[in-house]
Amino acid sequence: MAGGRIRAKIRRSSLYTFACYHSHPSEAEGPHDIEGPGYSRMVYCNQPHMHEQKPLRYCSNYISTTKYNVLTFLPKAIFEQFRRVANLYFLLAAVLSVTPISPFSAMSMIAPLAFVVGLSMAKEALEDWRRFIQDMNVNLRRATVHKKDGTFGQKPWMKIQVGNVVKVEKDQFFPADLLLLSSSYEDGICYVETMNLDGETNLKVKRSLEATLSLDDDSTFKEFNATIKCEDPNPNLYTFVGNLEYNRKVYPLDPSQILLRDSKLRNTAYIYGVVIFTGHDSKVMQNATKSPSKRSRVEKQMDKIIYILFTFLVFISFISSVGFIVKTKYDLPTWWYLQVPDDSGYFDPRDPLMSGFYHLVTALILYGYLIPISLYVSIEVVKVLQALFINRDLNMYDEETGTPAQARTSNLNEELGQVDTILSDKTGTLTCNQMNFLKCSIGGIAYGTSSSDVELAAVKQMALDEDRQSKAGTPPSWGKGRQGSGESEIELETVITSKDEDNHKPALKGFNFEDSRLMNGNWFKEPSADVILLFFRILSLCHTAIPEQDEVTGVFTYEAESPDEGSFLVAAREFGFEFCRRTQSSIFVRERYPSFHEPIEREFKVLNLLDFTSTRKRMSIIVRDENGQILLLCKGADSIIFDRLSSYGRTYQESTTKHLKDYGEVGLRTLALAYKKLDESEYYSWNEDFMKAKTSIGGERDLMLERLSDMIERGLILVGATAVEDKLQKGVPQCIDKLAQAGLKIWVLTGDKMETAINIGFACSLLRQGMKQICMTSNVDASAQNSKQTVKENILMQISDGSEIIKLEKDPHAAFALIIDGKTLTYALEDDVKLKFLNLAVNCASVICCRVSPKQKALVTRLVKQGTGKTTLAIGDGANDVGMIQEADIGVGISGCEGMQSDIILAVLQAVMASDFAIAQFRFLERLLVIHGHWCYKRIAQMICYFFYKNIAFGLTIFYFEAFAGFSGQSVYVDWYMLLFNVVLTSLPVISLGVFEQDVDSEVCLQFPALYQQGPKNLFFDWYRIFGWMANGLYTSLIIFFLNVIIFYDQAFRPGGQTADMIAVGTVMFTCVIWAVNCQIALTMSHYTWIQHFLVWGSVVSWYLFLLIYGELRLSLNVNAFRILLEVLAPAPIYWCATLLVTVACNLPYLAHISFQRLFNPLDHHVIQEIKYYKRDIKDRYMWRRERSKARQTTKIGFTARVDAKIRQLRGRLQKKYSSHGKDVVVTQQT
């Protein structure tokens, strides 16, 4: 058998809850009335040729998630590039450069623009090509399709048509939305995993119509024909309305017969289905959103800066033009040697306005250096190199899967440093969906010595706190702790590592229990051995799992509907009660009782199974043991179980309640276990009513079943409780804790039911004991008249009540959590409700949305993004997360796929291919944001500010000289100087700033997470800082021009007494520009390597090398610059003195500013830099820990907040203990 598994084929219906025993539609209310708009789809089963012509020609099964295609690439990509206002300006300048009025050649304007736009378009094309390859991997998957005469063959997914009959085998994905016709089980049942749709790994049960059960073999489809009339394509995953006409009868269809594309067949050998919706008509694709074009906030703000500079450019060009008009009209006629007017009419005193207009165009091009086109090229280069560093970060490399981090687009690097809210999927992102059995309470006695992560962290934190108090000379008030630990403040990674290292027992999936009293049969000696026996039997019997035995090892594993059940069965097996076999009516357990060394296989007859639902919050099984005793075994939420206990069944309630509270406080998931003995007469009487209700027809059926279930589940006897630790992905609690300390808000959006979502919230510390939960559900009867309005009013009332509760709360430590289900969210996202809902949500410490569809995930993300106006990041791992990932400002995909089959990897790739960044594990998000995000934001912000500074400093000197030279349009610089200014002489230092700059190193970023808030607060790219850099550029330009003019205006320059000409003055000014801007960037940098030194000072050296070479070329003769360095400038001491004086004068104010700021108003990173420079982090560890404790944002979620709450509780207990002890001493003394 495949995979070495043994599985018995059984009739599945005997295992199901009453919820699955619906009467068949043919026997119920009759076919649906589906006439009218929205129900026009006709499907001719097994006749796909009928759908090749309109109006029955539906879309193909080909899917595409690309932004472009062959026809749209050029127009759309060009549009994307010219959304950048600077590119628009340079396009206009390039067009004007072909006219005679341009001060530069056409090639010098067109070539840079073509290079910048072409480079960006090539990058867009490469990224979209990757999406296309991913789409084709899906489209070319193979499916087994009926051809003709009962024969089936392989066909690619993209060729499947509506009406095709498809055979899907175990562990394969459904290629389209199908109507289930039959399965390998006799009663048409199949198991489906919908993780890619709603995030749940719990298996769903689907069932075919009884009328199609006979279609269970290839040959039976030779003559098969039927017609389906159903609803039109829509995005609702949980509804379906249609009718099947087969053998001249009409049968109503509902969602329980529909198998959705991208869900997966599990625990079923095969199914047959007919295709209803294909391609983009399928529900999963209806939930998809188009690939958006994303731009970072920094880039958008940069556009605003360019608007300002362009306005300034037009303003000075207008001033220049007005000056030229005045000169042309009044002074030009007297300058006879200029021979005006000229033939072109550009200099015509008779029409000065037209000449002024020509000059305006010339000035717009001449002063174009104020708007640097090279900025975009430099930013593209910097971002690509930043992305390379992200990809090569070994600390984000997952060794288990061999998966590195991947920056799939480099456009959003700096956005990583400005995230305010993270919206995360649950399954596969936060969790492995694996539970570990850790503790239990049986007969009022607590068992299990293993500590949870919260317990270990709390004890360590308290010891560290006492150590600090001891060093500070303050005696501890709550007890004696370890002395001189010398350890850093709570390091959660170390806590977890030490926990794992101390446990030398081999890891067992699902079981981390340690207590010799229950292991290896020692429980026989316990005083309550009979209660323990019942406890173990409830674990091994009360479930719906299927056992699988490995043929090689003989070990049983379990396919369970929930990970809790799996952990209970593993625990039962380790305790000596191994569930080994299941038939239509029995469960077989190998019990190591009464002898632990001689297992006995016992049979328990299954009489009824009452399954767990979100409403019932409990599960029961009724069995008959080998002695003929009928037992009802029940497990469920403690509040539900306790309400159903008999008066004599509450013996252990008080002690069990205490244990449950203790388990909950340390983050464990708990269930209570109980049982009840049933008399034969009592059971048969109840079962008769139950079977009648089960086979009844009508809307009261479910209510009757619920009432009867509640009746039999009364009068229970409490046995004990379980406590399992949810197996989160490695490092998830620590990552969430660090992100919370960095000031980020975290929302969880999951398709799981509310109970599971809440438990995960506790496990990853988004929820904790004592946190007040605001649960929003739509509990109004949907069948009532005006139900939609009634439900909306009820939801508005819940929102209002929740907001009022938060407003009236006085406790500063109080924390609120908002939990909302998908049905309620549908109304909460409507236009007249969503802002009120958002206001409530942002006032809560954590938000969990459960039972949400992929489209709702995207809509919630859009609401947060647009409603708060802040940067959002969405992270997920499956196809159901694609919409959310694309809608967020930043999308992160989880790419770790260890042990997955190729088809699952392709499904995971949908999230990765839609994402902007891909990481192997959620824990790497901490490093991606807190380190790379922080660095990239500061680097890009400083780089852009510096770029505008240097171009203003350079460009305005051209304007000053033009005004000085009578607004003639003459540039003081040689064309080659201006061409090399941005390309060679100042480009590499600014790139080194954008790539290598670090205010603090990576370890300090993690130790001081509050540094991250510099990004969301936009401290380095706000208007104050931008205008400050612009003012610095203005000041520098004034110093460079006027100081040089003052020095060289009538000063002897050559040995013969001659003054400097225009070329000499221009070269001196350009030398000052090069020195000033490169010294400025040297002062800006905080972190130096040899690369920065080489590039900064190498740029200065390259300027002198250029002058040396250029002066020897024939080109220099054209502009009177022959041997400009060797013979003109270098021999003149005034050249070197002027360079030194101007450079110092330009940079002195900035040096004074940063010195004053560091002394009197330092930023966080300034303080850390000083501590590190003087090595106080090594010399004074206490001070270093104190500063670290300050450097985290106050948060009410995360592991640290949970530990703090636990510490407050422990201190309260100890204080009470010592207070009572003090009173006892006083009483004794008085006595």
Side-chain angles (χ1 to χ4, degrees):
M1 298 183 187
R5 300 288 185 187
I6 302 173
R7 184 192 299 276
K9 179 173 179 178
I10 58 177
R11 183 175 177 84
R12 300 295 305 175
S13 62
S14 62
L15 305 182
Y16 297 137
T17 177
F18 61 83
C20 294
Y21 283 106
H22 289 293
S23 54
H24 289 289
S26 60
E27 303 167 354
E29 295 88 349
H32 297 296
D33 181 11
I34 54 174
E35 299 297 330
Y39 299 95
S40 62
R41 194 173 187 89
M42 295 291 296
V43 178
Y44 293 93
C45 304
N46 212 18
Q47 303 175 72
H49 61 277
M50 297 287 289
H51 301 285
E52 294 177 354
Q53 295 181 348
K54 293 184 177 180
L56 300 179
R57 186 175 182 178
Y58 304 125
C59 73
S60 71
N61 207 36
Y62 176 89
I63 59 106
S64 174
T65 60
T66 58
K67 291 169 61 177
Y68 311 105
N69 57 39
V70 175
L71 297 178
T72 63
F73 175 72
L74 276 178
K76 288 182 71 173
I78 290 174
F79 170 76
E80 287 295 327
Q81 294 309 309
F82 288 103
R83 286 170 63 187
R84 295 172 167 176
V85 291
N87 284 351
L88 274 177
Y89 164 74
F90 284 106
L91 176 64
L92 176 63
V95 172
L96 293 175
S97 68
V98 300
T99 65
I101 59 176
S102 172
F104 308 119
S105 66
M107 185 57 65
S108 65
M109 298 299 295
I110 295 173
L113 179 66
F115 175 75
V116 171
V117 172
L119 186 67
S120 299
M121 288 177 63
K123 193 180 78 166
E124 287 282 318
L126 179 61
E127 291 174 356
D128 214 49
W129 175 257
R130 291 171 178 164
R131 294 189 187 96
F132 172 75
I133 295 299
Q134 183 267 333
D135 289 341
M136 291 309 297
N137 286 335
V138 175
N139 289 323
L140 294 176
R141 292 185 199 173
R142 310 295 291 180
T144 305
V145 182
H146 181 238
K147 294 183 175 179
K148 60 179 180 178
D149 299 329
T151 60
F152 283 72
Q154 295 290 307
K155 186 183 280 190
W157 278 25
M158 59 190 291
K159 297 293 184 182
I160 292 175
Q161 297 174 273
V162 172
N164 275 136
V165 174
V166 178
K167 182 179 182 180
V168 179
E169 297 182 345
K170 180 189 171 186
D171 292 333
Q172 290 182 347
F173 287 99
F174 301 119
D177 289 353
L178 310 177
L179 170 67
L180 175 61
L181 298 176
S182 63
S183 76
S184 56
Y185 294 116
E186 296 175 6
D187 43 7
I189 295 295
C190 73
Y191 281 101
V192 175
E193 182 185 274
T194 59
M195 187 177 71
N196 281 336
L197 303 180
D198 55 19
E200 287 198 50
T201 55
N202 296 351
L203 304 184
K204 311 292 191 302
V205 179
K206 300 289 184 177
R207 63 185 185 280
S208 67
L209 297 173
E210 186 176 5
T212 59
L213 287 178
S214 58
L215 302 170
D216 59 354
D217 187 72
D218 290 1
S219 59
T220 58
F221 290 93
K222 183 176 182 180
E223 304 295 335
F224 171 65
N225 284 299
T227 304
I228 299 171
K229 185 173 183 180
C230 64
E231 64 186 22
D232 293 335
N234 64 76
N236 198 321
L237 297 174
Y238 304 110
T239 63
F240 181 83
V241 178
N243 289 329
L244 172 70
E245 184 178 347
Y246 178 54
N247 287 342
R248 298 183 181 180
K249 292 185 180 180
V250 180
Y251 305 92
L253 303 175
D254 59 51
S256 64
Q257 288 103 34
I258 304 302
L259 307 174
L260 301 181
R261 178 186 174 119
D262 279 342
S263 53
K264 182 182 179 184
L265 185 65
R266 294 288 302 275
N267 296 347
T268 310
Y270 61 85
I271 62 98
Y272 291 100
V274 63
V275 176
I276 301 177
F277 297 119
T278 51
H280 289 276
D281 283 348
S282 63
K283 289 185 180 288
V284 67
M285 294 306 295
Q286 288 280 309
N287 274 277
T289 55
K290 292 183 179 179
S291 300
S293 298
K294 297 180 180 180
R295 300 180 71 210
S296 70
R297 278 168 166 70
V298 169
E299 188 175 345
K300 292 175 183 176
Q301 186 143 326
M302 190 171 70
D303 283 350
K304 296 176 184 177
I305 300 173
I306 290 176
Y307 283 128
I308 293 172
L309 288 180
F310 183 75
T311 303
F312 182 65
L313 169 63
V314 172
F315 174 70
I316 63 173
S317 298
F318 180 76
I319 291 175
S320 178
S321 181
V322 170
F324 182 78
I325 290 172
V326 172
K327 290 287 184 181
T328 300
K329 184 174 182 179
Y330 297 107
D331 295 338
L332 208 56
T334 63
W335 297 339
W336 55 268
Y337 51 85
L338 294 178
Q339 298 181 359
V340 293
D342 62 334
D343 296 335
S344 62
Y346 297 145
F347 305 95
D348 189 354
R350 296 168 301 183
D351 192 359
L353 291 179
M354 182 57 67
S355 297
F357 173 75
Y358 289 143
H359 184 82
L360 177 64
V361 176
T362 301
L364 287 172
I365 300 174
L366 181 65
Y367 305 147
Y369 281 91
L370 288 172
I371 304 175
I373 191 171
S374 58
L375 171 61
Y376 285 112
V377 178
S378 299
I379 287 178
E380 292 289 349
V381 171
V382 164
K383 288 185 175 181
V384 168
L385 293 175
Q386 287 177 348
L388 184 63
F389 281 136
I390 291 174
N391 297 345
R392 299 290 180 86
D393 189 341
L394 291 177
N395 290 306
M396 292 198 295
Y397 176 78
D398 186 34
E399 294 183 355
E400 293 181 1
T401 61
T403 308
Q406 182 184 9
R408 301 193 63 257
T409 177
S410 57
N411 293 339
L412 303 172
N413 293 353
E414 67 274 22
E415 199 85 332
L416 290 171
Q418 293 188 284
V419 175
D420 177 78
T421 304
I422 297 172
L423 301 106
S424 175
D425 175 42
K426 180 190 75 68
T427 305
T429 303
L430 298 177
T431 69
C432 307
N433 225 39
Q434 176 187 332
M435 308 295 171
N436 279 339
F437 191 95
L438 197 68
K439 298 173 185 285
C440 61
S441 171
I442 310 175
I445 301 173
Y447 296 95
T449 59
S450 299
S451 297
S452 72
D453 296 344
V454 174
E455 289 175 295
L456 291 173
V459 170
K460 184 170 184 178
Q461 180 66 51
M462 291 174 69
L464 290 171
D465 286 346
E466 183 187 357
D467 183 45
R468 292 195 197 103
Q469 290 174 350
S470 299
K471 289 188 176 182
T474 304
S477 60
W478 49 267
K480 184 177 179 180
R482 297 178 312 197
Q483 298 296 321
S485 66
E487 298 176 9
S488 62
E489 178 187 0
I490 179 169
E491 292 291 344
L492 300 175
E493 294 83 357
T494 307
V495 173
I496 305 307
T497 304
S498 64
K499 175 185 175 183
D500 294 337
E501 288 174 352
D502 291 342
N503 184 9
H504 300 290
K505 183 180 176 180
L508 184 63
K509 183 178 178 180
F511 190 73
N512 196 25
F513 180 88
E514 291 182 8
D515 196 326
S516 59
R517 293 176 294 172
L518 295 185
M519 301 303 295
N520 302 319
N522 293 335
W523 62 272
F524 300 156
K525 307 171 188 176
E526 288 293 297
S528 56
D530 54 337
V531 180
I532 296 174
L533 174 63
L534 275 169
F535 182 89
F536 292 158
R537 282 183 173 169
I538 294 173
L539 292 183
S540 61
L541 295 172
C542 191
H543 58 81
T544 58
I546 301 167
E548 291 183 334
Q549 186 178 23
D550 192 286
E551 289 181 325
V552 178
T553 64
V555 175
F556 282 97
T557 57
Y558 304 103
E559 289 283 354
E561 289 193 20
S562 72
D564 300 75
E565 278 194 353
S567 68
F568 292 156
L569 288 170
V570 172
R573 184 187 69 198
E574 294 302 305
F575 290 135
F577 291 74
E578 184 176 49
F579 165 51
C580 59
R581 190 156 52 96
R582 171 166 236 151
T583 66
Q584 289 182 192
S585 58
S586 299
I587 292 176
F588 294 83
V589 179
R590 291 176 185 166
E591 295 187 351
R592 295 182 180 272
Y593 172 77
S595 171
F596 188 80
H597 301 289
E598 297 178 7
I600 300 173
E601 185 173 296
R602 289 191 169 92
E603 178 184 3
F604 296 85
K605 297 286 186 180
V606 179
L607 304 179
N608 301 88
L609 185 68
L610 311 179
D611 207 351
F612 186 98
T613 68
S614 58
T615 303
R616 285 168 40 78
K617 297 183 180 179
R618 63 192 183 278
M619 173 191 177
S620 298
I621 186 171
I622 302 176
V623 298
R624 186 191 299 273
D625 64 16
E626 291 182 333
N627 299 323
Q629 176 65 57
I630 300 176
L631 297 170
L632 182 146
L633 309 177
C634 183
K635 66 181 181 185
D638 54 276
S639 58
I640 300 297
I641 298 297
F642 289 170
D643 287 344
R644 284 163 174 74
L645 296 178
S646 64
S647 57
Y648 55 86
R650 301 178 181 270
T651 307
Y652 312 120
Q653 182 176 353
E654 184 177 350
S655 54
T656 303
T657 302
K658 179 182 179 300
H659 297 156
L660 287 168
K661 183 179 179 183
D662 292 339
Y663 296 154
E665 286 172 352
V666 295
L668 302 181
R669 297 173 58 162
T670 59
L671 286 178
L673 276 58
Y675 81 104
K676 176 184 180 180
K677 292 183 178 180
L678 298 175
D679 296 332
E680 293 282 343
S681 58
E682 178 188 4
Y683 169 72
Y684 283 116
S685 174
W686 173 86
N687 191 50
E688 185 178 352
D689 293 338
F690 187 73
M691 294 305 293
K692 286 180 181 178
K694 204 161 49 172
T695 56
S696 65
I697 300 171
E700 299 296 319
R701 175 180 175 276
D702 288 343
L703 292 175
M704 292 168 59
L705 288 170
E706 177 58 38
R707 181 178 57 80
L708 288 166
S709 299
D710 184 69
M711 181 189 303
I712 199 68
E713 290 172 330
R714 294 283 175 178
L716 302 177
I717 300 173
L718 182 63
V719 175
T722 61
V724 297
E725 189 172 34
D726 197 350
K727 188 66 175 175
L728 298 170
Q729 287 193 13
K730 182 181 178 182
V732 166
Q734 294 79 20
C735 178
I736 288 177
D737 183 63
K738 192 71 73 176
L739 294 174
Q741 291 180 32
L744 283 85
K745 305 175 185 68
I746 302 173
W747 293 29
V748 174
L749 311 179
T750 177
D752 272 356
K753 56 191 178 184
M754 185 174 287
E755 290 76 15
T756 305
I758 290 173
N759 287 329
I760 293 299
F762 276 103
C764 61
S765 297
L766 289 173
L767 302 176
R768 57 181 168 80
Q769 212 58 26
M771 182 179 278
K772 300 175 183 178
Q773 297 179 15
I774 301 173
C775 295
M776 292 182 58
T777 56
S778 51
N779 49 15
V780 177
D781 184 7
S783 63
Q785 192 175 8
N786 300 323
S787 60
K788 184 175 180 180
Q789 186 61 33
T790 305
V791 171
K792 185 184 289 187
E793 289 174 358
N794 177 264
I795 291 168
L796 282 169
M797 184 179 298
Q798 292 182 58
I799 293 173
S800 177
D801 292 344
S803 300
E804 191 67 20
I805 291 170
I806 295 174
K807 184 178 179 181
L808 297 175
E809 181 59 54
K810 303 298 182 183
D811 182 5
H813 297 297
F816 293 88
L818 177 63
I819 302 159
I820 184 170
D821 62 22
K823 185 183 291 186
T824 310
L825 196 60
T826 303
Y827 297 95
L829 291 175
E830 292 186 0
D831 291 340
D832 55 340
V833 183
K834 62 183 182 182
L835 291 181
K836 296 177 182 177
F837 164 68
L838 181 63
N839 289 333
L840 171 62
V842 296
N843 287 321
C844 292
S846 61
V847 180
I848 298 177
C849 303
C850 45
R851 277 297 185 195
V852 292
S853 66
K855 194 154 195 173
Q856 284 179 319
K857 289 185 177 185
L859 291 174
V860 170
T861 305
R862 182 184 302 170
L863 174 63
V864 177
K865 179 176 70 173
Q866 296 177 352
T868 63
K870 297 178 180 178
T871 304
T872 57
L873 180 147
I875 180 169
D877 72 314
N880 62 313
D881 303 316
V882 168
M884 173 177 73
I885 287 171
Q886 291 179 336
E887 185 63 47
D889 294 298
I890 306 169
V892 178
I894 301 292
S895 57
C897 304
E898 181 187 23
M900 291 187 179
Q901 300 174 9
S902 59
D903 53 356
I904 302 178
I905 294 174
L906 289 174
V908 170
L909 281 177
Q910 293 186 49
V912 173
M913 293 302 294
S915 66
D916 306 303
F917 298 88
I919 53 179
Q921 297 284 330
F922 182 88
R923 60 191 165 96
F924 296 135
L925 188 63
E926 172 189 339
R927 192 170 181 87
L928 183 66
L929 296 183
V930 177
I931 296 176
H932 290 285
H934 174 70
W935 283 348
C936 289
Y937 162 72
K938 291 193 71 173
R939 289 166 176 172
I940 294 293
Q942 289 182 314
M943 173 186 172
I944 294 172
C945 288
Y946 171 78
F947 228 108
F948 285 120
Y949 151 80
K950 75 181 181 68
N951 278 75
I952 288 173
F954 173 61
L956 285 181
T957 58
I958 300 174
F959 170 68
Y960 301 150
F961 181 81
E962 207 231 359
F964 192 75
F967 299 104
S968 61
Q970 175 66 50
S971 173
V972 69
Y973 303 122
V974 176
D975 286 355
W976 276 97
Y977 296 179
M978 293 190 288
L979 183 64
L980 294 177
F981 177 73
N982 282 320
V983 175
V984 175
L985 300 176
T986 61
S987 61
L988 295 180
V990 78
I991 288 174
S992 73
L993 174 70
V995 175
F996 298 108
E997 171 64 0
Q998 296 178 14
D999 54 350
V1000 294
D1001 62 38
S1002 59
E1003 290 303 317
V1004 173
C1005 282
L1006 294 176
Q1007 292 171 350
F1008 292 81
L1011 284 175
Y1012 182 82
Q1013 278 301 303
Q1014 293 178 341
K1017 292 176 180 177
N1018 203 20
L1019 294 183
F1020 290 89
F1021 206 59
D1022 57 0
W1023 287 111
Y1024 172 80
R1025 192 169 292 262
I1026 291 167
F1027 285 125
W1029 277 98
M1030 287 183 175
N1032 192 17
L1034 175 63
Y1035 165 80
T1036 302
S1037 68
L1038 290 169
I1039 293 296
I1040 289 173
F1041 180 79
F1042 287 103
L1043 202 55
N1044 275 297
V1045 167
I1046 291 170
I1047 292 172
F1048 291 99
Y1049 186 73
D1050 54 7
Q1051 176 71 37
F1053 183 70
R1054 292 176 181 257
Q1058 301 95 331
T1059 57
D1061 61 7
M1062 185 185 73
I1063 297 301
V1065 172
T1067 305
V1068 174
M1069 287 171 56
F1070 199 85
T1071 302
C1072 292
V1073 170
I1074 297 300
W1075 269 103
V1077 299
N1078 280 291
C1079 287
Q1080 175 66 68
I1081 202 170
L1083 288 172
T1084 303
M1085 291 178 179
S1086 302
H1087 174 71
Y1088 283 97
T1089 65
W1090 67 267
I1091 298 174
Q1092 280 114 310
H1093 282 293
F1094 175 78
L1095 294 178
V1096 172
W1097 310 122
S1099 295
V1100 176
V1101 173
S1102 66
W1103 162 241
Y1104 290 108
L1105 290 175
F1106 166 75
L1107 279 182
L1108 185 65
I1109 296 169
Y1110 181 73
E1112 300 295 329
L1113 299 177
R1114 184 170 297 181
L1115 287 171
S1116 62
L1117 295 174
N1118 299 332
V1119 292
N1120 195 29
F1122 182 70
R1123 292 191 173 179
I1124 186 68
L1125 180 63
L1126 288 178
E1127 295 185 359
V1128 180
L1129 299 178
I1134 196 173
Y1135 167 68
W1136 303 104
C1137 293
T1139 301
L1140 178 62
L1141 177 62
V1142 171
T1143 301
V1144 171
C1146 287
N1147 288 283
L1148 199 57
Y1150 180 79
L1151 182 62
H1153 163 71
I1154 59 175
S1155 300
F1156 180 86
Q1157 185 182 44
R1158 283 179 175 269
L1159 283 172
F1160 300 104
N1161 189 27
L1163 297 176
D1164 292 339
H1165 66 282
H1166 291 152
V1167 177
I1168 298 169
Q1169 287 169 356
E1170 294 291 327
I1171 294 173
K1172 296 289 284 186
Y1173 179 79
Y1174 291 106
K1175 298 183 179 180
R1176 296 294 297 276
D1177 56 319
I1178 298 173
K1179 297 176 182 177
D1180 190 346
R1181 298 293 295 175
Y1182 171 71
M1183 181 272 291
W1184 181 247
R1185 287 199 301 269
R1186 184 191 64 213
E1187 292 300 321
R1188 284 182 57 191
S1189 65
K1190 295 178 183 177
R1192 65 187 192 197
Q1193 292 291 303
T1194 302
T1195 178
K1196 295 177 180 178
I1197 64 169
F1199 208 93
T1200 299
R1202 199 170 196 170
V1203 170
D1204 289 343
K1206 182 67 176 176
I1207 290 170
R1208 285 195 297 271
Q1209 181 194 40
L1210 291 175
R1211 282 179 173 161
R1213 289 180 183 175
L1214 288 167
Q1215 190 172 6
K1216 289 180 182 178
K1217 178 181 177 181
Y1218 288 124
S1219 297
S1220 61
H1221 179 69
K1223 291 178 182 178
D1224 292 341
V1225 172
V1226 172
V1227 171
T1228 304
Q1229 289 176 347
Q1230 290 176 349
T1231 303

